[in-house]
C-alpha cells in the first residue's frame, strides 16, 4: 500500500515536469517533498509501526486530489530568460538601505536579550546554545521584538540578492544582508527558520532563471550543512565527543523522527478518535487574540504536541493533524486544496512579478513543510508580517525596463 502512495507522488512529479510548469511550481515542490518522505518510509517501513490500510487510503485520496488539480491546470507559457525584461520588481532602494542598517544596529540589543534568555551563558558554546533553546521551547520565553526583526532580515536578504542579480546592488551588501539574516536564524535556534530563509532568497532567483538545477543542488547541500550545524549546537543528533559513525547513526535517527515518523504519528493520532473541535486548532491565532483581549475564556491550543512513539519519538504529526482534529475526516482533504492558492500565487509571480514573486516564494515554506506540521493558519501572523514588508519595500507596479537603482 505505501508503494501505491509513492507511485502516485512520483507520477505527479513526472507530470509536473512534462507540463513545463517551471522548477519552482507548487506541484513540483509538493510531489518532490512527499516522494522523498514516502520513499524513505517504503525503504524503512520494517523499522516503523505499520499504518492501517484505511489510513493509507485516506492519505492516498489527499494525493489524488492534488494530482487531479495538476492535470486540470493549464501549462504556463513562460521563458525564464526573458523574465527580467517583462516584469521587473521595482524595489525602493532607500527604504531597503535603512532596513539593512536597522537589522545591523539592533544586533547588540538582540545579543543582550539572548544573554538574558540563556542565563548569561555563551551562546557560541553548545551548553549556552542549548540553554537558550530550552528557555524558548520549554519555558515559554521569546526573543520579543527581535522575532519580528528576524523576519525583516529575511525580506531584506531576498530583495538584496534579487537586486544583486540585476546589477543594482553590490555583492558586498547582498552578502552582508544574508549574513545578518543568518545571525537572526542562529539566535532563533530553530531549524525550520533556515528553510524559510532559504526559500525566501532562492525561489525568486529560480523563477527568474538565475538558479537552475545545479544551483538548487548547491542550495540543498548548503541547507543540510546549516541543519547539521544547528543540530550540533543543540545536541540533536550531532555531537563533538563521539565518533563519526556514531554521529551518522544519531543524526540519521533524528532525521527519521522528523521526516518519516510524523506520518506514522498521524496514523496513531487518528486511532484515538479525538472529539471534533470545530476550528480551535486551525484558527488558533484568532482564539489567542480573543483570549489576550479578554473576549474569550478558551485558551489557545499549545503549539508543542505530546510525543508519540512509532517507535521513533516525534511530536509533529504532518499538516493533516489540526484539520483532522477540527473537522474529522473531511479535514484531510483541506490541505490538498491549498494547492489552488499556491498555483494562483505562482501564476501571478510569473505574469505580474513585483510583490507576487516574493510572496509566492515565502509560501513555498508551508508547502514543503506539509510532511512536518501545519504552517499555514498556525503561522498566520508570520504571513501577515511578510506580506506587509513586501508591500512597503516594493512599488505596486512592475516596469518594462530594469530600474536604475544602483545603491552600491
Amino acid at each position: 500500500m505505501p508503494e501505491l502512495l509513492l507511485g502516485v507522488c512520483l507520477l505527479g512529479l513526472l507530470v509536473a515536469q512534462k507540463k513545463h510548469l517551471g522548477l519552482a511550481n507548487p506541484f513540483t515542490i509538493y510531489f518532490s517533498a512527499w516522494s522523498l518522505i514516502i520513499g524513505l518510509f517504503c525503504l524503512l517501513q520494517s523499522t516503523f509501526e505499520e499504518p492501517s490500510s484505511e489510513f493509507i487510503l485516506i492519505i492516498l485520496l489527499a494525493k489524488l486530489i492534488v494530482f487531479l488539480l495538476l492535470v486540470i491546470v493549464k501549462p504556463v507559457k513562460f521563458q525564464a530568460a526573458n523574465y527580467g525584461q517583462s516584469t521587473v520588481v521595482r524595489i525602493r532602494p532607500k527604504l531597503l538601505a535603512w532596513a539593512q542598517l536597522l537589522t545591523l544596529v539592533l544586533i547588540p540589543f538582540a545579543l543582550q536579550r539572548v544573554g538574558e534568555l540563556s542565563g548569561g551563558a555563551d551562546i557560541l558554546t553548545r551548553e549556552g546554545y542549548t540553554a537558550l533553546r530550552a528557555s524558548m521551547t520549554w519555558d515559554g520565553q521569546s526573543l520579543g521584538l527581535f522575532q519580528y526583526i528576524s523576519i525583516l532580515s529575511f525580506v531584506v536578504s531576498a530583495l538584496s540578492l534579487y537586486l544583486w542579480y540585476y546589477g543594482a546592488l553590490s555583492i558586498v551588501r547582498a552578502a552582508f544582508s544574508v549574513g545578518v539574516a543568518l545571525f537572526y536564524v542562529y539566535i532563533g535556534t530553530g531549524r525550520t527558520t533556515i528553510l524559510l530563509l532559504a526559500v525566501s532568497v532562492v525561489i525568486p532567483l529560480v523563477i527568474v532563471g538565475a538558479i537552475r538545477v545545479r544551483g538548487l543542488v548547491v542550495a540543498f547541500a548548503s541547507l543540510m550543512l546549516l541543519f547539521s550545524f544547528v543540530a550540533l549546537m543543540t545536541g540533536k543528533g550531532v555531537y563533538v565527543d563521539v565518533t563519526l559513525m556514531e554521529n551518522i547513526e544519531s543524526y540519521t535517527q533524528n532525521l527519521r523522527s522528523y521526516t518519516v515518523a510524523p506520518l506514522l504519528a498521524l496514523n496513531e493520532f487518528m486511532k484515538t478518535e479525538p472529539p471534533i473541535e470545530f476550528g480551535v486548532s486551525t484558527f488558533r491565532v484568532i482564539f489567542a487574540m480573543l483570549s489576550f483581549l479578554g473576549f474569550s475564556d478558551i485558551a489557545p491550543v499549545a503549539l508543542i504536541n505530546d510525543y508519540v512513539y512509532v517507535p521513533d519519538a516525534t511530536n509533529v504529526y504532518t499538516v493533516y493533524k489540526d484539520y483532522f482534529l477540527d473537522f474529522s475526516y473531511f479535514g484531510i482533504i483541506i490541505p490538498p486544496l491549498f494547492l489552488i492558492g499556491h498555483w494562483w500565487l505562482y501564476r501571478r509571480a510569473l505574469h505580474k512579478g513585483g510583490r507576487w514573486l516574493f510572496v509566492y516564494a515565502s509560501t513555498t515554506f508551508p508547502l514543503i513543510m506539509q510532511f512536518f506540521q501545519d504552517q499555514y493558519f498556525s503561522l498566520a501572523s508570520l504571513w501577515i508580517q511578510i506580506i506587509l514588508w513586501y508591500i512597503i519595500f516594493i512599488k505596486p507596479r512592475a516596469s518594462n525596463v530594469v530600474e536604475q537603482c544602483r545603491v552600491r
Side-chain angles (χ1 to χ4, degrees):
M1 288 291 283
E3 291 76 13
L4 182 59
L5 263 179
L6 178 60
V8 170
C9 289
L10 290 175
L11 181 60
L13 184 58
L14 179 63
V15 173
Q17 304 314 304
K18 283 192 172 182
K19 298 190 86 170
H20 305 294
L21 304 179
L23 286 175
N25 81 81
F27 295 100
T28 292
I29 293 172
Y30 178 88
F31 284 119
S32 294
W34 278 108
S35 293
L36 177 61
I37 299 304
I38 298 173
L40 286 173
F41 173 64
C42 289
L43 289 173
L44 305 170
Q45 60 181 308
S46 62
T47 64
F48 284 101
E49 298 286 345
E50 183 179 357
S52 66
S53 299
E54 294 78 8
F55 174 76
I56 295 295
L57 287 174
I58 291 170
I59 301 302
L60 178 62
L61 173 62
K63 305 309 170 204
L64 288 173
I65 290 174
V66 178
F67 184 79
L68 178 61
L69 292 174
L70 170 60
V71 172
I72 292 174
V73 299
K74 296 180 180 179
V76 286
K77 294 181 179 180
F78 167 73
Q79 293 181 350
N82 297 327
Y83 187 91
Q85 286 71 44
S86 59
T87 52
V88 175
V89 178
R90 302 178 65 208
I91 299 166
R92 295 182 171 95
K94 291 184 179 179
L95 282 179
L96 184 64
W98 279 109
Q100 284 182 305
L101 181 61
L102 177 65
T103 56
L104 174 65
V105 299
L106 287 178
I107 286 179
F109 300 98
L111 287 173
Q112 182 179 2
R113 175 58 180 165
V114 165
E116 295 172 357
L117 295 176
S118 64
D122 184 0
I123 63 167
L124 295 179
T125 65
R126 195 176 70 177
E127 293 74 15
Y129 198 67
T130 302
L132 172 63
R133 179 160 181 79
S135 69
M136 292 191 288
T137 303
W138 305 112
D139 299 337
Q141 302 295 316
S142 73
L143 293 173
L145 169 67
F146 304 105
Q147 292 182 201
Y148 303 99
I149 297 301
S150 68
I151 301 305
L152 172 61
S153 71
F154 294 0
V155 171
V156 169
S157 293
L159 296 177
S160 295
L161 283 178
Y162 182 89
L163 284 176
W164 165 73
Y165 174 67
Y166 281 108
L169 195 71
S170 69
I171 184 61
V172 174
R173 281 190 55 185
F176 163 79
S177 296
V178 174
V180 171
L182 286 173
F183 162 78
Y184 285 104
V185 166
Y186 181 76
I187 65 173
T189 73
R191 282 176 285 183
T192 57
T193 53
I194 301 174
L195 179 60
L196 176 59
L197 174 61
V199 298
S200 298
V201 301
V202 170
I203 296 298
L205 296 179
V206 173
I207 293 177
V208 301
I211 294 178
R212 301 183 186 276
V213 175
R214 183 180 299 178
L216 283 175
V217 172
V218 173
F220 180 77
S222 302
L223 188 65
M224 294 306 297
L225 285 174
L226 289 172
F227 279 156
S228 300
F229 175 70
V230 174
L232 171 65
M233 295 301 292
T234 55
K236 289 192 172 184
V238 182
Y239 308 94
V240 295
D241 51 354
V242 300
T243 66
L244 175 61
M245 290 306 299
E246 288 175 321
N247 266 321
I248 292 175
E249 183 179 351
S250 60
Y251 189 57
T252 301
Q253 185 66 38
N254 187 261
L255 284 178
R256 284 167 51 105
S257 296
Y258 291 101
T259 53
V260 181
L263 188 62
L264 284 303
L266 176 66
N267 175 59
E268 297 300 318
F269 179 76
M270 293 175 66
K271 287 180 182 178
T272 64
E273 299 183 356
I276 300 176
E277 295 191 350
F278 300 104
V280 172
S281 294
T282 304
F283 304 109
R284 179 188 180 279
V285 172
I286 296 176
F287 284 97
M289 185 180 300
L290 292 175
S291 177
F292 177 78
L293 296 174
F295 295 128
S296 174
D297 295 329
I298 302 176
V301 175
L303 291 176
I304 300 177
N305 299 305
D306 294 330
Y307 278 90
V308 66
Y309 298 88
V310 291
D312 303 57
T314 187
N315 62 342
V316 287
Y317 298 76
T318 77
V319 69
Y320 302 108
K321 185 252 187 179
D322 288 345
Y323 302 95
F324 175 77
L325 186 60
D326 282 340
F327 310 110
S328 189
Y329 290 96
F330 176 76
I332 300 297
I333 70 172
I334 294 177
L337 299 179
F338 292 157
L339 269 292
I340 298 174
H342 285 293
W343 177 250
W344 182 80
L345 287 171
Y346 181 62
R347 286 183 62 87
R348 274 154 180 73
L350 294 182
H351 300 307
K352 294 184 179 295
R355 300 161 180 167
W356 298 105
L357 177 65
F358 295 94
V359 170
Y360 169 72
S362 298
T363 63
T364 61
F365 171 73
L367 180 61
I368 295 171
M369 294 293 286
Q370 283 202 14
F371 75 91
F372 187 75
Q373 65 181 168
D374 176 59
Q375 304 283 16
Y376 290 95
F377 287 95
S378 63
L379 295 183
S381 62
L382 170 66
W383 307 126
I384 292 172
Q385 290 177 61
I386 289 175
I387 292 171
L388 286 177
W389 281 126
Y390 284 128
I391 289 175
I392 291 171
F393 285 116
I394 301 176
K395 297 177 183 180
R397 292 184 179 178
S399 171
N400 290 326
V401 181
V402 176
E403 185 174 352
Q404 299 299 315
C405 53
R406 299 184 180 275
V407 284
R408 299 181 185 277

